[in-house]
Amino acid sequence: MDRYRPTDEPAPAPPVPSPDEVDPAVLGALLARHGWRRRGGAAGRYARWTPPGDPSGGTSGGTSLLVPESREFPDSGDLLGEAVTALARSAAPSAREVLIGLAVPSDEVRWRREVPEPRSGAAAWSAQERLSAAARATLLAGALAARGRAGYHGARHRREAEASLEHILVGPPGPGGRELTVFVPVEHGRAVTGTLLRALHALRDAVDYQRTTGGQEAFDAAVEAGVSRELTEAVVSLVEGTEGARVVLEWSPGAGPPAGVAARPEPVDFSPGDLPALREAGARYVRSEPAVPVRVTGAVVRLRRTGPGGPGTVRLRVLTGADVAQVRVALGEDDYRIAVHAHLVGLPIRVSGRLESRGGFRRITGARDVTPVRVDEADRDRLLKSLREHLDGADCFEEPCAGPEEKHGDGRLEP
């Protein structure tokens, strides 16, 4: 299973755990969670489970699992092996989800959108894509908040947040783009799921407060719980075009819940009536997030000015000093000349200024104290090699070059 698999591609086979690694209690908990029904068995020894939607109780030849209560009995290993094999051969989506939960101890986050039945395959595909994008944005907002609290993150910490989601597995989409389950491995993602749970509940409370009193102050307090512009946008995307949406988080049955957190967290629901409050809060977060004083060291990757002399603009690939990948800096004529020479000899430069929230924290204003930074030969060679790779063999030198890092949050290119 790869992360955020396009919904029109066939799902790869789920990981199949070794029967020796399966805890019978965890298997039973996962079967119950994913809709399997317990239909008796030898009391105290094993239980019989049948998949969701099997009215025969496994008597008509469908999948039926015998799961031992513990490993204390001689045949428990054989029964667990047979159960894992049956799950691997089953075409039921719930069987795939159980296998994932067994193979990789994971917290499960489930999104559900209340939408009409799609009338065509294209409409169903579009609904699945929208749900997948909203789910990804929600997780990314949680990962950003786990790195640090802010009303508006912009480009800050984005590389680290996206890297923290690399191990996430996506379950098969539900029919009509209504439901999606994501598995967040406990080892790598517990900070994300814990933060996301607190943030969603805080967002729900802040929206209720705003709709009741008209006041926005609850959104200010919610930032400390992980609420941000990124989370409000994700929830807006999830809810738009629906009659309502729900996010449910369930802890890994093997790892259990974090300390001080409910074992079964309450679902968080949002409705179309929440959209005005969510949009207003998101815009407010952008307006109120202050610029940040920085002293950045970066490699010059783009240079631009309109004539042979005068001021110009450079783009730096940030090495230290700011939690963003690249920044754009407007420089006076002398400072621009320093940046040009540093670029020609393969040296980074250091510049002080203010990292502006406008455009997603991708611009430094009030630039001053521009100086080349000396590096040893080995670091210089690595820097030059990295620059060649990032530039794809073509410098943007004295040319009007605009890349995705030079866009406003709404997608407009900066002048």
Side-chain angles (χ1 to χ4, degrees):
M1 304 282 291
D2 54 6
R3 59 185 177 125
Y4 309 118
R5 174 182 51 81
T7 53
D8 59 341
E9 295 181 5
V16 180
S18 167
D20 295 336
E21 301 172 351
V22 175
D23 183 336
V26 171
L27 175 54
L30 288 170
L31 290 169
R33 173 179 295 179
H34 292 282
W36 289 62
R37 298 189 62 183
R38 182 170 179 163
R39 296 182 180 272
R45 293 197 51 142
Y46 63 84
R48 181 178 295 276
W49 294 85
T50 57
D54 182 359
S56 70
T59 61
S60 62
T63 301
S64 176
L65 308 181
L66 290 180
V67 179
E69 297 287 349
S70 71
R71 286 187 170 273
E72 296 178 358
F73 304 105
D75 60 347
S76 60
D78 294 336
L79 290 177
L80 289 170
E82 292 170 2
V84 169
T85 300
L87 287 169
R89 293 175 176 172
S90 174
S94 59
R96 300 173 59 84
E97 293 175 341
V98 171
L99 282 176
I100 295 172
L102 284 175
V104 185
S106 305
D107 298 329
E108 298 180 26
V109 187
R110 185 172 294 105
W111 291 262
R112 180 169 180 83
R113 303 175 78 232
E114 297 298 334
V115 293
E117 179 71 30
R119 296 185 177 181
S120 67
W125 181 88
S126 178
Q128 290 172 4
E129 284 291 293
R130 178 156 193 162
L131 176 56
S132 179
R136 185 188 190 284
T138 307
L139 287 170
L140 182 59
L144 287 166
R147 300 287 306 180
R149 303 296 197 260
Y152 177 44
H153 296 278
R156 294 177 296 174
H157 299 297
R158 188 164 291 267
R159 285 180 298 181
E160 296 87 346
E162 290 178 339
S164 71
L165 303 180
E166 289 181 353
H167 300 279
I168 287 174
L169 302 174
V170 182
R178 293 189 183 90
E179 190 168 307
L180 182 69
T181 301
V182 167
F183 299 82
V184 185
V186 173
E187 181 181 359
H188 303 284
R190 177 53 66 88
V192 173
T193 52
T195 301
L196 180 60
L197 178 66
R198 289 188 292 271
L200 286 170
H201 281 285
L203 180 60
R204 177 68 267 170
D205 291 343
V207 170
D208 289 340
Y209 182 87
Q210 193 276 339
R211 294 187 66 177
T212 302
T213 68
Q216 289 279 331
E217 54 269 27
F219 285 106
D220 297 333
V223 171
E224 284 305 310
V227 177
S228 64
R229 159 69 177 267
E230 286 75 11
L231 183 60
T232 61
E233 286 186 323
V235 175
V236 166
S237 178
L238 181 68
V239 174
E240 278 183 327
T242 75
E243 297 177 3
R246 165 173 286 195
V247 184
V248 181
L249 193 150
E250 295 177 307
W251 306 115
S252 163
V261 179
R264 294 184 177 180
E266 290 291 324
V268 187
D269 294 290
F270 295 94
S271 70
D274 299 325
L275 291 175
L278 290 167
R279 293 191 179 104
E280 184 178 354
R284 189 167 182 265
Y285 282 140
V286 174
R287 291 194 303 268
S288 61
E289 191 67 21
V292 182
V294 292
R295 186 166 176 78
V296 167
T297 300
V300 178
V301 295
R302 293 289 188 273
L303 297 124
R304 176 188 179 185
R305 64 180 174 182
T306 57
T313 300
V314 302
R315 195 192 323 159
L316 304 180
R317 182 167 63 85
V318 176
L319 303 176
T320 62
D323 298 310
V324 295
Q326 296 190 1
V327 292
R328 192 171 184 235
V329 191
L331 300 175
E333 182 172 8
D334 292 340
D335 287 337
Y336 184 82
R337 187 177 295 113
I338 292 172
V340 169
H341 287 297
H343 176 73
L344 289 173
V345 299
L347 292 178
I349 63 172
R350 183 174 293 130
V351 57
S352 298
R354 295 182 66 80
L355 188 64
E356 292 286 341
S357 61
R358 176 174 174 261
F361 294 95
R362 294 185 175 96
R363 178 203 295 256
I364 292 178
T365 59
R368 64 187 186 280
D369 303 329
V370 178
T371 56
V373 177
R374 292 289 178 185
V375 295
D376 61 36
E377 285 300 316
D379 287 339
R380 183 173 179 273
D381 290 343
R382 283 193 293 269
L383 178 63
L384 287 171
K385 181 180 178 181
S386 175
L387 287 177
R388 283 193 292 269
E389 291 173 351
H390 278 77
L391 293 172
D392 294 327
D395 284 14
C396 235
F397 201 53
E398 303 289 343
E399 298 281 347
C401 296
E405 290 81 8
E406 298 176 11
K407 293 182 181 179
H408 291 287
D410 60 4
R412 293 179 292 110
L413 287 173
E414 292 179 342

